[in-house]
Amino acid sequence: VKAYYVIPKFKDRRIDFMIEVSGSSMYPKYNSGDVIACTIIKESKFIQWNKVHVIATTEQGLLVKRIKENGTDAIMAISDNPDYPPFPIPKDEITGIALVVGVIRLE
């Protein structure tokens, strides 16, 4: 988390944190340098499959990916950029998940 931002449009949404995107794996949805607004998921039964999430992992750090179910022991992490293949993330590697609910992009 880089800094605290106040965005009037996000006032009525439950934004827990905002973070800057790094890299091109989610292009064209998100560009490197975009700032995404996120809501922490407190219970795994409320995960919105195929939506973009920030996933905190023990080995890879923070990842911005679409997620889908992948059996009982892992979730599938999917990039929007076809140059990056999908990969499984073992559930025991995940320390937190947040849903991306908004973005700020500068030209």
Side-chain angles (χ1 to χ4, degrees), residues 10-67:
F10 294 162
K11 186 178 178 181
D12 296 332
R13 295 179 180 232
R14 189 176 57 89
I15 306 297
D16 293 310
F17 66 93
M18 297 179 76
I19 191 167
E20 187 175 333
V21 174
S22 176
S24 62
S25 70
M26 292 306 290
Y27 179 83
K29 178 80 170 171
Y30 303 113
N31 296 312
S32 189
D34 287 352
V35 177
I36 52 177
C38 306
T39 300
I40 295 171
I41 306 298
K42 296 189 176 22
E43 294 187 41
S44 62
K45 63 185 173 185
F46 293 111
I47 292 176
Q48 297 181 38
W49 300 113
N50 204 38
K51 298 276 187 172
V52 180
H53 291 74
V54 175
I55 306 113
T57 67
T58 56
E59 292 294 320
Q60 296 280 328
L62 295 176
L63 303 169
V64 179
K65 301 289 179 199
R66 291 188 187 281
I67 58 174

Side-chain angles (χ1 to χ4, degrees), residues 2 9 14 24 34-35 37 44 50 54 57 62-63 69 72-73 83 86 88 91-92 95 99 103 107:
K2 294 267 186 180
K9 274 288 201 194
R14 189 176 57 89
S24 62
D34 287 352
V35 177
S44 62
N50 204 38
V54 175
T57 67
L62 295 176
L63 303 169
E69 288 184 283
T72 58
D73 296 335
D83 292 339
K91 288 182 180 176
D92 61 358
T95 58
L99 177 66
V103 63
E107 292 297 324

